Amino acid sequence: RGVAHGLATSGIVDVVHSPDIHDAGRLFTPPTKAYGRALVILRHPIERAVAEYERLRMFDKDVNRMTLEEFARSDHPENNILTRTLSRQTDSQPLGNIHLAKAKEILKRKFVVGLFSHMEDSLERFETFFGWNIGDQGRICRSNEVGRAMSHHYNRVDISAIINNDGGSVAITTLREKNAMDMALYEFATFLYDYQGHSLFGISAVV
């Protein structure tokens, strides 16, 4: 409906949220005379998977009865969701290096990259890039909301502690194997985060 009603040029919205960059991109395809820039906050794939396990345990009885190792071996964890989304490969389709390369290219060309592990800094970068002046009260509100989100137990994931628990290292290894492409893509994203910090925001590289 957004495409049909010219949402991108309507002046109604400043930001569009979508889990599918390709679908959102349809808002800006010709003959629409509007341009957009994508932003994203990425989380380490294993932290994301463990956080999802902890979150699901709160309301999914089946998951609540599982150990992390059992969860990792089940069909619950995502399978290279970011690489699949960017390269437009469904869960049932094979995934290879060509799809990883495509995902990296799209991430590099289309996105201002933020990291979950650097949430406050990432949000500040977005504000700077888009020229959003939220003011002191806005910054206080932003900081409070970030703090509230981070305070949830499922967002306080300690991978090293999990590995030291019985079965933890097996679970982490299994999750890494299931998300090998996303692990490589996340490593590339951390490079982009540092590179954009220098090239877009004038942040000196740490030597």
Side-chain angles (χ1 to χ4, degrees):
R1 289 191 298 172
V3 175
H5 291 86
L7 182 65
T9 56
S10 67
I12 297 174
V13 297
D14 296 312
V15 178
V16 175
H17 174 269
S18 174
D20 187 340
I21 182 63
H22 301 288
D23 190 45
R26 293 171 56 228
L27 293 169
F28 304 98
T29 54
T32 300
K33 294 181 179 180
Y35 301 92
R37 184 65 183 261
L39 53 84
V40 65
I41 292 181
L42 299 177
R43 190 173 192 178
H44 188 287
I46 307 308
E47 284 189 8
R48 177 184 167 98
V50 175
E52 182 67 359
Y53 165 68
E54 294 292 348
R55 189 187 70 83
L56 287 174
R57 292 181 70 193
M58 295 190 297
F59 58 85
D60 189 313
K61 293 181 180 179
D62 290 336
V63 175
N64 191 42
R65 288 191 290 264
M66 291 181 179
T67 65
L68 180 58
E69 182 179 350
E70 290 170 337
F71 175 81
R73 296 183 184 280
S74 73
D75 292 330
H76 287 285
E78 295 170 331
N79 182 300
N80 296 298
I81 184 65
L82 183 59
T83 306
R84 289 186 180 281
T85 299
L86 292 177
S87 65
R88 309 191 83 166
Q89 290 291 103
T90 67
D91 287 343
S92 62
Q93 292 177 309
L95 205 61
N97 289 331
I98 189 172
H99 304 106
L100 176 59
K102 182 177 181 180
K104 286 181 176 180
E105 185 67 17
I106 292 173
L107 199 63
K108 179 178 70 174
R109 293 179 55 202
K110 302 294 185 181
F111 285 89
V112 179
V113 175
L115 298 178
F116 187 89
S117 58
H118 295 74
M119 183 67 78
E120 287 277 9
D121 288 342
S122 297
L123 294 177
E124 287 180 5
R125 288 188 183 191
F126 297 160
E127 291 161 18
T128 298
F129 184 86
F130 289 101
W132 297 332
N133 184 11
I134 65 174
D136 292 339
Q137 284 301 115
R139 293 185 187 91
I140 292 172
C141 180
R142 180 196 67 200
S143 182
N144 289 339
E145 288 301 312
V146 170
R148 188 176 293 111
M150 294 300 189
S151 68
H152 294 302
H153 76 281
Y154 51 79
N155 279 333
R156 300 194 301 271
V157 175
D158 187 344
I159 298 298
S160 60
I162 293 171
I163 291 175
N164 290 330
N165 290 335
D166 290 340
S169 60
V170 175
I172 298 303
T173 298
T174 302
L175 290 171
R176 285 182 181 275
E177 290 171 350
K178 281 190 173 183
N179 291 279
M181 294 290 180
D182 271 10
M183 288 292 294
L185 188 58
Y186 182 79
E187 183 178 356
F188 181 70
T190 62
F191 162 78
L192 284 179
Y193 182 81
D194 291 338
Y195 178 78
Q196 290 180 353
H198 172 69
S199 62
L200 296 179
F201 304 103
I203 300 172
S204 299
V206 177
V207 179

